[in-house]
């Protein structure tokens, strides 16, 4: 299964923005939504083609409310993500999976808030919640207490990625990029 993760822009609540609008709510209604990071929505699709198609359907909303649209394709990597542009190139056959690893962006992952219970996970809203319906399934979804911080643009050399050194973090998230995205 191919995963899609949308990271919201600062100053907006991505879940509210996408699920309160009829067109985007309907496009997302068939997916089980989760929140792996602060101000994000993630879901699973059947293929990279379906992921790119969904992102194209949501493009009007993505340009307004999303900082990053990421795709994770298991045939490429189990732990690294693709930028939307690179996922499109992969779907179109203009790049092979083995050719996607050179240019990357590494995000640090940090915990949000303190460990005093202030950030106890809460239920993530579903499309039904935003439409005013009662959904007991959403009670089982959890909000992550992690956020993406300060991306480091790197180039993989000799098969190895440089270490993330912009701040002290326990985890990182790697996003593979096109060459144009890496050096605009």
């Amino acid at each position: 299964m191919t995963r899609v993760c949308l990271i919201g822009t600062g100053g907006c609540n991505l879940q509210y923005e996408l699920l309160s609008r009829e067109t985007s709510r309907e496009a997302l209604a068939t997916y089980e939504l989760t929140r792996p990071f602060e101000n994000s929505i993630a879901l699973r699709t059947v293929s990279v083609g379906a992921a790119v198609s969904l992102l194209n359907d949501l493009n009007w909303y993505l340009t307004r409310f999303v900082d990053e649209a990421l795709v994770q394709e298991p045939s490429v990597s189990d732990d690294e993500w693709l930028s939307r542009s690179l996922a499109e190139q992969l779907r179109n056959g203009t790049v092979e999976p083995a050719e996607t690893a050179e240019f990357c962006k590494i995000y640090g992952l940090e915990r949000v808030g303190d460990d005093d219970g202030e950030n106890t996970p809460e239920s993530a809203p579903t499309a039904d919640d935003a439409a005013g319906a009662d959904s007991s399934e959403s009670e089982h979804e959890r909000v992550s207490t992690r956020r993406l911080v300060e991306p480091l643009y790197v180039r993989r050399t000799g098969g190895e990625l440089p270490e993330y050194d912009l701040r002290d973090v326990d985890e990182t998230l790697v996003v593979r990029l096109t060459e144009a995205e890496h050096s605009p």
Side-chain angles (χ1 to χ4, degrees):
M1 298 288 281
T2 302
R3 295 173 60 196
V4 173
C5 185
L6 306 175
I7 310 298
T9 60
C12 88
N13 179 323
L14 182 62
Q15 290 77 17
Y16 172 80
E17 297 297 348
L18 292 179
L19 299 177
S20 67
R21 291 170 167 79
E22 184 178 4
T23 304
S24 59
R25 182 174 60 245
E26 287 177 4
L28 295 169
T30 59
Y31 300 99
E32 181 180 329
L33 305 178
T34 60
R35 287 198 252 176
F37 312 110
E38 179 182 65
N39 200 25
S40 71
I41 287 181
L43 54 95
R44 294 182 187 275
T45 67
V46 295
S47 67
V48 71
V52 170
S53 179
L54 174 65
L55 294 174
N56 289 341
D57 289 346
L58 294 172
N59 193 57
W60 188 90
Y61 305 97
L62 300 183
T63 58
R64 287 157 179 79
F65 308 119
V66 172
D67 260 346
E68 292 279 347
L70 307 175
V71 175
Q72 188 177 50
E73 170 56 38
S75 68
V76 175
S77 175
D78 288 331
D79 56 354
E80 294 182 3
W81 293 78
L82 305 171
S83 68
R84 178 183 180 184
S85 181
L86 191 56
E88 287 174 353
Q89 289 182 10
L90 187 66
R91 182 213 45 193
N92 295 341
T94 56
V95 66
E96 294 297 318
E99 300 170 350
T100 64
E102 183 177 0
F103 302 102
C104 298
K105 174 169 44 175
I106 303 174
Y107 282 99
L109 287 173
E110 70 178 16
R111 293 228 171 265
V112 177
D114 309 326
D115 290 333
D116 62 2
E118 181 180 318
N119 291 308
T120 304
E122 58 189 61
S123 296
T126 65
D128 289 338
D129 293 336
D134 181 27
S135 173
S136 60
E137 288 182 24
S138 68
E139 294 174 14
H140 301 291
E141 295 184 50
R142 306 306 272 175
V143 173
S144 175
T145 57
R146 300 179 304 161
R147 76 172 140 229
L148 300 173
V149 294
E150 290 184 277
L152 173 66
Y153 289 81
V154 298
R155 192 169 187 174
R156 194 180 311 252
T157 54
E160 298 294 319
L161 278 175
E163 287 195 34
Y164 181 83
D165 62 1
L166 297 179
R167 63 169 73 185
D168 188 25
V169 294
D170 293 330
E171 297 178 75
T172 58
L173 179 115
V174 177
V175 179
R176 296 179 181 196
L177 308 170
T178 64
E179 184 174 4
E181 290 173 309
H182 184 265
S183 39

